[in-house]
Amino acid sequence: MPPTDRIREHAGHGAATTVAAQRVRRRLRADRARQLADLLRRQLLTGAFPHGALPHESTLATDYRATRNTVRQALDLLRAEGLVERQPGVGTLVVAQKYPHGLDRLMGLAETLREHGRVTNEVRTMGPVPAPAPVADRLRLPAGADVLYIERLRRLNGLPLSLDLTYVPLDIGTALLTADLEHTDVFRLLEAATGLPLGHAEITLEAVDADAHSAAVLEAPQGAALLMLERLTHLADGRPVDLEFIRFRGDRITMSGHLHRSV
Amino acid sequence: MPPTDRIREHAGHGAATTVAAQRVRRRLRADRARQLADLLRRQLLTGAFPHGALPHESTLATDYRATRNTVRQALDLLRAEGLVERQPGVGTLVVAQKYPHGLDRLMGLAETLREHGRVTNEVRTMGPVPAPAPVADRLRLPAGADVLYIERLRRLNGLPLSLDLTYVPLDIGTALLTADLEHTDVFRLLEAATGLPLGHAEITLEAVDADAHSAAVLEAPQGAALLMLERLTHLADGRPVDLEFIRFRGDRITMSGHLHRSV
């Protein structure tokens, strides 16, 4: 018997506590639904359900020792996230299109998603700009030196995936002005332009609510959760050459990797 | 002159294109605002502004070669995220409380946030449950074997930070039943209970919209962006001992680390 059911019984004692008991029951059902949704979420994202169909509610209820109400509530949570859809007469189908971005190695988008389809980039803006102070600082350039600014909407198999703002020092950036940015990762172009491999990057990840304009560009609902990545990439010789601010659609990307206890 | 201003001029040519030009102008201003907000965001999160006060709008406009309108719109974006507040007569103040969670080493919350304050854990549920199939599978236990299930609301300096769902094999979990979970990371307790250091973890990060119940528990607005971490942690001998589903408030945490091009 799951612990929540045990607590539920406990909460049911005494007539005077009926309202409180109802509240506790609701809370416990919501807790159980979240618990179940988390277990199903990973399975559906990793393709564990044959033909993309979830087992019947009653099967899920038996398998997870949950009530039908809890199962329904768990499926509602997954539906609200756009991971599944109910089809009358058919059942619950996986509709998630979440792609795994590697966190173990420094890779460009097309590289890391190679198995999942074709990445194309719509260049929204590109041109030299005087580096704002924090950009100059991080790219170790003199204040006001020109940098190449690029803004791209990136798609996987035609679906908007991320909006990327990129700053590159102009001595390297000039080579990018005539490159095939629509079909090539900036990482590959940087390595080609400098003849050096990339070395490492400092990254920061955050979850943020999409502002109205970013949401519109990414074709996501306003306020949708975005995975925001700030990344400063260095060449193998240590020179910082690429400062990026990337907004990924939260419903289209996961970041996966390994952490070790001792470094 | 920034490229957007150049494009703006260009878009202004021709009387018949007035409406289209206005649309382009609005889009370009929104793009410029996002660009500026991204630059200010990092500075304010890393404490770059003395006394937590942003420079005056006109100073920002000069420093970033932006119009006052763009500056205002950028500050609006940061305000909508809860990172700054406007105080009449004072200016724009940093109110962000975003804490950096390390991504380079496998660490518990109290460990990684040590410099930032005191982590306390409210244990919402704890007890043995029969392992659901995907849990048994990942912890390499026989189907239906009991596991310890723990649900904690974690706070930093009293503020809700994350909601953690944890599964631990019962042979190790028993030691946790009587431990000081309120003030100790599960990682430390696992190492104490087994006499072994932890080894590595497989992690997956996502940005998700908070469902109503999770939002209420975390005292966040419904639909607020959450940073969701799924983590399977192994002992140094390779045994998986800790499966966790963690929902961080997106407005309270950043994840930072390093990536390398070659592994």
Side-chain angles (χ1 to χ4, degrees):
Chain A
M1 181 166 61
T4 48
D5 290 351
R6 229 172 288 164
I7 297 163
R8 185 180 307 171
E9 273 177 20
H10 182 72
H13 290 310
T17 60
T18 314
V19 174
Q22 274 179 351
R23 200 172 304 139
V24 170
R25 263 197 297 276
R26 259 203 306 275
R27 180 196 126 168
L28 289 171
R29 189 162 66 224
D31 284 344
R32 284 281 290 156
R34 181 196 301 114
Q35 214 178 318
L36 177 54
D38 282 351
L39 296 177
L40 296 175
R41 142 196 287 280
R42 184 196 158 86
Q43 293 185 281
L44 65 87
L45 287 179
T46 54
F49 298 117
H51 314 297
L54 268 68
H56 192 269
E57 280 180 10
S58 59
T59 311
L60 288 173
T62 310
D63 287 358
Y64 289 91
R65 302 168 199 243
T67 63
R68 287 286 285 270
N69 269 339
T70 299
V71 170
R72 261 181 230 123
Q73 210 168 328
L75 296 177
D76 280 347
L77 290 175
L78 297 172
R79 194 167 40 184
E81 274 194 64
L83 300 178
V84 303
E85 255 176 29
R86 283 189 72 78
Q87 288 225 341
V90 179
T92 305
L93 300 178
V94 179
V95 293
Q97 295 195 290
K98 260 185 137 151
Y99 302 97
H101 193 300
L103 257 185
D104 283 332
R105 259 193 68 202
L106 181 58
M107 282 194 288
L109 194 67
E111 271 181 291
T112 193
L113 298 180
R114 197 166 35 186
E115 305 157 29
H116 299 278
R118 185 175 165 75
V119 170
T120 49
N121 310 305
E122 178 190 323
V123 178
R124 305 179 78 237
T125 306
M126 172 156 73
V129 291
V135 173
D137 185 46
R138 300 197 70 204
L139 291 174
R140 289 190 219 140
L141 298 170
D146 270 2
V147 290
L148 179 68
Y149 175 72
I150 313 169
E151 200 173 306
R152 293 169 301 161
L153 175 61
R154 313 195 68 180
R155 296 171 193 269
L156 180 67
N157 302 326
L159 291 175
L161 202 64
S162 70
L163 178 62
D164 298 20
L165 280 51
T166 305
Y167 300 86
V168 176
L170 201 56
D171 61 316
I172 300 173
T174 307
L176 271 60
L177 280 167
T178 52
D180 180 14
L181 271 165
E182 248 181 74
H183 303 100
T184 324
D185 285 344
V186 163
F187 277 5
R188 275 193 52 196
L189 297 173
L190 290 174
E191 292 183 326
T194 61
L196 277 174
L198 297 176
H200 74 282
E202 293 138 37
I203 66 162
T204 299
L205 279 165
E206 297 172 66
V208 302
D209 295 317
D211 62 276
H213 185 64
S214 300
V217 173
L218 287 164
E219 297 171 26
Q222 189 175 343
L226 303 180
L227 191 59
M228 175 137 182
L229 171 63
E230 198 203 293
R231 183 172 64 193
L232 178 64
T233 303
H234 303 251
L235 290 176
D237 65 8
R239 180 179 173 198
V241 289
D242 177 14
L243 176 61
E244 302 207 39
F245 300 87
I246 306 175
R247 283 169 173 80
F248 289 103
R249 275 185 59 153
D251 59 344
R252 299 240 164 104
I253 206 96
T254 67
M255 297 258 172
S256 292
H258 293 79
L259 296 183
H260 295 266
R261 185 71 166 157
S262 49
V263 202
Chain B
M1 181 164 58
T4 46
D5 290 352
R6 229 169 291 165
I7 298 164
R8 186 181 306 171
E9 275 178 17
H10 184 70
H13 289 311
T17 61
T18 315
V19 175
Q22 273 178 351
R23 201 171 305 139
V24 170
R25 261 196 297 275
R26 261 203 306 275
R27 182 197 124 168
L28 289 171
R29 189 162 66 220
D31 285 345
R32 283 281 292 158
R34 181 197 302 112
Q35 212 179 320
L36 177 54
D38 282 352
L39 297 177
L40 295 175
R41 140 194 289 279
R42 182 195 158 88
Q43 292 185 283
L44 64 90
L45 288 179
T46 53
F49 297 117
H51 315 295
L54 269 68
H56 192 270
E57 280 180 9
S58 60
T59 312
L60 288 173
T62 310
D63 287 356
Y64 289 90
R65 298 166 204 246
T67 63
R68 285 287 283 271
N69 270 339
T70 300
V71 170
R72 261 181 230 124
Q73 209 168 329
L75 295 177
D76 281 346
L77 289 175
L78 298 171
R79 191 167 43 185
E81 274 194 65
L83 300 178
V84 304
E85 255 175 29
R86 283 191 71 80
Q87 289 223 342
V90 180
T92 305
L93 300 179
V94 179
V95 293
Q97 295 196 290
K98 261 185 138 151
Y99 302 97
H101 192 301
L103 256 186
D104 282 331
R105 259 193 69 202
L106 181 57
M107 282 195 289
L109 195 67
E111 270 180 292
T112 194
L113 298 181
R114 198 166 34 188
E115 303 157 29
H116 299 279
R118 186 174 162 76
V119 170
T120 50
N121 310 306
E122 178 190 323
V123 178
R124 305 178 78 237
T125 306
M126 171 155 72
V129 292
V135 174
D137 185 48
R138 301 197 70 202
L139 291 175
R140 290 190 220 141
L141 297 171
D146 270 2
V147 291
L148 180 68
Y149 176 71
I150 313 168
E151 201 171 306
R152 293 169 300 162
L153 175 61
R154 314 196 69 181
R155 293 170 193 273
L156 180 68
N157 302 325
L159 291 175
L161 201 63
S162 70
L163 177 62
D164 298 20
L165 281 49
T166 305
Y167 300 86
V168 176
L170 201 57
D171 62 313
I172 299 171
T174 309
L176 272 58
L177 281 167
T178 53
D180 181 15
L181 271 164
E182 247 180 76
H183 304 99
T184 324
D185 284 345
V186 163
F187 278 2
R188 274 194 51 196
L189 297 173
L190 291 173
E191 293 184 323
T194 61
L196 279 174
L198 297 175
H200 74 282
E202 292 139 36
I203 65 162
T204 299
L205 279 165
E206 295 172 68
V208 301
D209 295 317
D211 61 276
H213 186 63
S214 300
V217 173
L218 287 164
E219 297 170 27
Q222 189 175 343
L226 302 180
L227 192 59
M228 174 140 182
L229 171 63
E230 198 204 292
R231 181 173 63 193
L232 177 65
T233 303
H234 303 250
L235 290 176
D237 66 7
R239 182 181 172 197
V241 290
D242 177 13
L243 176 61
E244 303 206 39
F245 300 87
I246 306 175
R247 282 171 174 78
F248 289 103
R249 275 184 58 153
D251 59 343
R252 298 241 164 104
I253 206 95
T254 67
M255 298 258 173
S256 291
H258 292 80
L259 295 182
H260 295 265
R261 185 69 167 160
S262 49
V263 204

